[in-house]
Amino acid sequence: MPDWLELILRVVGVLVAFLTLPLIVGQAEHKVMAHMQGRLGPMYAGGFHGWAQLVADGIKFVQKEDVTPREADRPVFRLAPAVALVPYLLALLVIPLGPGDLVGQPLDIGLFFVLAVVGIGVLAVLMSAWASANKYSLLGGLRGAAQLLGYELPLVLAAASVAMAAGTLSLPGIVEAWRPWWLLWQAPAMVIFFVAGLAEIRRPPFDMPVADSELVFGYMTEYTGLRFAFFLLAEYVGIVVIAALTTVLFLGGWQGPFADAQLGWLWTLLKVFAVAFVIIWLRVSYPRLREDQLQRLCWLVLVPLALAQLVLTAAVRLAI
């Protein structure tokens, strides 16, 4: 197969995953929340089990007027939703779905690349907050910047622990080096990474930058129509990326109870959706953290635990 054709197929595959997996997660969130909280509305659209709820939401966003505030910085205001989406698209390029060629672009420094591009998301928050010319948006943006910059540290430290254990920054290499007993000694790193990942994508209970009861809708207050929908899509893509990274780094990726490599992609997807379900479950189960509680959890709990996990990993590596 020519290199250019292979490249096109890989890019198309990543785009398909980028456009479909978040929608599946969004549909699942509608249904899981409906069952857990006894919501009747999401169960009616389209008839059977409300299968058309996501379609109805999409039509609703398309029909809404696209409003830009008079005092807003228009170019920055309109660009912010795209900046929120692009980092997750780039991250999906290097996250392996299965062994062999089931990855958009294998990189020897794939973990470093993913952590670097995911951190760009803070720019979209600051751009939308500043450009909106709204004090609620600005407060939400400042909260978001403080949260994202703080939780970036435990996220990176937890990822560094498993990279040190595997001896590589390659995401496929980490999966190949992974062993089931890592579930024990890398469990603290997995919890730290998962919690910090939730804060990075601003999911409840880490949604202080939005805080609808205090800030209307934070940095997204002035957005309507498709631009608002793009921010929601970025949130769901963020769920997929964090769930996929948790799967690849700590849950063995495509490794399953059977040795059939042909089903590796299936094990990866099952684990990703299982982690995504936990993310949805946390949204409907825990109240929003206050700003002081959120920062205390980061600096006084997660960072020291992540440093201790690094010391443990180094000690185990030296021992073996």
Side-chain angles (χ1 to χ4, degrees):
M1 180 184 300
D3 292 341
W4 62 269
L5 180 57
E6 182 180 356
L7 178 61
I8 292 176
L9 291 176
R10 289 177 183 272
V11 171
V12 169
V14 172
L15 285 175
V16 170
F18 178 77
L19 295 174
T20 57
L21 293 180
L23 297 181
I24 295 173
V25 171
Q27 181 77 348
E29 182 168 63
H30 278 100
K31 305 311 171 188
V32 170
M33 292 179 64
H35 284 293
M36 287 186 171
Q37 297 183 329
R39 298 184 178 190
L40 300 180
M43 294 300 179
Y44 280 91
F48 176 72
H49 210 66
W51 66 269
Q53 181 61 49
L54 203 63
V55 177
D57 287 341
I59 294 174
K60 175 185 69 176
F61 284 124
V62 170
Q63 290 178 335
K64 285 188 174 181
E65 183 180 3
D66 183 11
V67 178
T68 301
R70 182 185 303 115
E71 301 299 324
D73 187 333
R74 291 176 178 268
V76 178
F77 182 85
R78 293 174 177 176
L79 185 61
V83 175
L85 277 171
V86 170
Y88 296 124
L89 174 59
L90 295 176
L92 288 176
L93 280 171
V94 299
I95 297 177
L97 181 61
D101 295 330
L102 289 179
V103 58
Q105 179 60 51
L107 293 178
D108 292 336
I109 56 169
L111 178 59
F112 176 82
F113 176 82
V114 169
L115 294 178
V117 297
V118 168
I120 297 175
V122 66
L123 293 179
V125 175
L126 290 174
M127 289 170 64
S128 59
W130 174 258
S132 294
N134 181 299
K135 292 182 179 179
Y136 290 114
S137 298
L138 184 59
L139 285 173
L142 294 176
R143 285 183 178 184
Q147 176 174 319
L148 296 178
L149 292 175
Y151 278 87
E152 191 78 16
L153 182 57
L155 185 80
V156 171
L157 291 175
S161 173
V162 72
M164 183 187 299
T168 179
L169 289 173
S170 167
L171 293 177
I174 291 174
V175 177
E176 291 171 358
W178 184 87
R179 297 294 180 267
W181 65 278
W182 285 22
L183 290 172
L184 297 177
W185 74 301
Q186 291 297 322
M190 179 176 66
V191 174
I192 294 166
F193 184 89
F194 180 74
V195 173
L198 285 182
E200 284 288 305
I201 58 176
R202 302 169 295 283
R203 286 284 298 185
F206 301 97
D207 57 340
M208 281 302 292
V210 175
D212 51 320
S213 61
E214 305 170 26
L215 302 179
V216 187
F217 219 62
Y219 61 92
M220 293 186 286
T221 296
E222 298 293 349
Y223 283 90
T224 59
L226 283 178
R227 299 187 195 279
F228 181 76
F230 287 158
F231 271 116
L232 293 185
L233 179 61
E235 178 179 330
Y236 288 127
V237 182
I239 293 176
V240 173
V241 169
I242 293 301
L245 286 175
T246 303
T247 296
V248 168
L249 296 178
F250 301 100
L251 300 178
W254 60 77
Q255 298 191 41
F258 306 107
D260 188 0
Q262 299 298 323
L263 295 178
W265 62 272
L266 180 59
W267 290 118
T268 301
L269 288 179
L270 288 175
K271 293 175 185 178
V272 167
F273 285 120
V275 176
F277 171 81
V278 175
I279 294 175
I280 297 170
W281 171 66
L282 288 173
R283 173 177 180 175
V284 297
S285 302
Y286 286 89
R288 179 183 299 126
L289 295 177
R290 295 197 315 263
E291 186 66 23
D292 61 319
Q293 294 172 331
L294 187 145
Q295 295 295 342
R296 189 179 298 115
L297 174 64
C298 174
W299 295 106
L300 299 183
V301 179
L302 296 185
V303 171
L305 285 178
L307 292 172
Q309 177 65 38
L310 274 178
V311 173
L312 172 63
T313 301
V316 173
R317 286 285 294 175
L318 289 174
I320 61 176

